Amino acid sequence: MKLGVNSVLFSGYDLQTAIQYIKFSGYDGMELSSIVGMVEHLTDTATEAELAEIRKMVEEAGLDLYCVEAATNILVPENRERTKRVFERAAKLGIPMVTTGSAGKSDDEESTEASIRAIEELAQAASDVGIRYALKLHYGQSIYNTKTALRLMDEVKHPALGLNFDATHVGRVGDDPVAAIESLSDHIIHSHIRDTYMEQLKISAPEFQTAGRGTVPLKEVVDKMVEIDYQGATVLEIIGAKDYALPEVTAIAAESRGYLSRLFEEAKEKREELQC
């Protein structure tokens, strides 16, 4: 199990603070947020000195860096160029992948085709610097469910491309998250995890994204991830906490870590029993 936190949870605080409290909460690693308008703990213009400082902070805390989230509208050429600069900096930090959504509009063929071409371009750019590109299935965007994800992977057969799976996105559009993991298992290279109220399209407030407080079938999701022998990182990604006090965001991180780590332990025990 590689359990981490996306630093977007600590969007109201600097990276040093995020690292300190992610470590204190018991996580093994983290994902850096590079999201314009939300928080850029890694910028696309970070200098060698700034990258060295990030590396030093993370190493001193004993954390691993799993991914960079660089969510943006990749259909805009300038945004794709920014994403490529993030790729370069991720590679220099030894981070194995960067994730974004597809942008575009769900069930719109023209924007879906444009998204696929943009993804193809970015997959090649990621490969050029020696990392992978994890495309996130995202509610409302072109690649948003099992069907569109399989279409993408069929049309863009690039070794640098994989999928970032988040049950809250596929579940809100009518897919069964557990069945989706089964169908996409060959392509999932990164995983975001959180809770929410699945009965509503809007993601719940941060306290209800805390693992165990919503209605996402997290136990079944974790069981299936273990069953398919998923080896990548599972990263807590909670949005909307920018104005929360530091004790509040730390409590969200720590409570989620306890809940999720227990789910993974139980799932592994169950798998071992079945193999005996």
Side-chain angles (χ1 to χ4, degrees):
M1 177 186 66
K2 299 176 183 177
L3 195 56
V5 181
N6 188 320
S7 68
V8 71
L9 173 59
F10 293 84
S11 57
Y13 303 92
D14 62 22
L15 181 57
Q16 178 65 74
T17 301
I19 290 171
Q20 178 183 350
Y21 287 94
I22 287 170
K23 177 64 176 179
F24 183 80
S25 299
Y27 288 89
D28 305 308
M30 63 184 295
E31 177 172 296
L32 292 177
S33 175
S34 183
I35 308 173
V36 176
M38 195 169 289
V39 62
E40 294 179 79
H41 284 140
L42 173 65
T43 69
D44 66 306
T45 57
T47 64
E48 294 291 342
E50 290 169 333
L51 294 176
E53 182 60 24
I54 292 173
R55 191 179 302 109
K56 179 183 177 183
M57 288 189 291
V58 172
E59 288 178 352
E60 287 180 348
L63 294 173
D64 291 326
L65 288 172
Y66 297 137
C67 187
V68 177
E69 181 169 20
T72 189
N73 182 354
I74 63 170
L75 297 183
V76 177
E78 292 84 354
N79 292 349
R80 291 200 298 279
E81 293 307 309
R82 179 191 183 277
T83 303
K84 293 174 186 177
R85 293 191 294 272
V86 173
F87 288 169
E88 293 169 356
R89 284 152 179 82
K92 289 180 179 180
L93 286 169
I95 300 173
M97 65 188 73
V98 173
T99 185
T100 78
S102 66
K105 181 181 178 182
S106 297
D107 303 318
D108 181 276
E109 183 60 24
E110 183 178 353
S111 67
T112 297
E113 289 181 1
S115 291
I116 290 172
R117 300 289 76 78
I119 292 164
E120 189 172 38
E121 176 185 333
L122 289 173
Q124 183 58 52
S127 179
D128 289 343
V129 297
I131 66 170
R132 299 194 73 184
Y133 179 36
L135 194 285
K136 180 173 181 175
L137 284 66
H138 197 293
Y139 166 77
Q141 299 186 10
S142 293
I143 310 303
Y144 72 100
N145 62 3
T146 306
K147 180 180 178 180
T148 53
L150 288 173
R151 172 184 173 181
L152 169 69
M153 299 309 295
D154 183 60
E155 293 191 25
V156 183
K157 297 182 184 299
H158 197 294
L161 180 64
L163 299 177
N164 172 359
F165 183 83
D166 181 338
T168 66
H169 281 288
V170 298
R172 287 183 296 146
V173 297
D175 280 7
D176 180 294
V178 177
I181 294 169
E182 181 74 38
S183 297
L184 301 172
S185 60
D186 290 342
H187 308 297
I188 297 172
I189 62 172
H190 190 56
S191 175
H192 282 164
I193 198 164
R194 62 181 167 188
D195 222 329
T196 190
Y197 288 118
M198 294 285 276
E199 301 79 10
Q200 60 189 34
L201 288 178
K202 183 179 180 181
I203 290 292
S204 305
E207 54 266 38
F208 300 111
Q209 294 174 57
T210 304
R213 293 195 184 187
T215 58
V216 177
L218 290 176
K219 182 182 186 306
E220 291 78 6
V221 166
V222 169
D223 283 349
K224 180 57 70 171
M225 296 295 278
V226 171
E227 180 185 317
I228 68 169
D229 198 28
Y230 170 70
Q231 297 293 316
T234 298
V235 172
L236 181 74
E237 187 216 27
I238 291 180
I239 61 170
K242 187 171 185 177
D243 296 326
Y244 281 45
L246 187 56
E248 293 173 324
V249 292
T250 304
I252 289 170
E255 182 179 330
S256 294
R257 194 268 177 189
Y259 187 88
L260 293 172
S261 62
R262 186 59 196 162
L263 289 184
F264 273 100
E265 288 169 7
E266 291 175 349
K268 288 180 180 180
E269 289 170 1
K270 177 182 177 181
R271 183 182 181 188
E272 289 171 358
E273 290 174 358
L274 292 173
Q275 291 176 337
C276 290

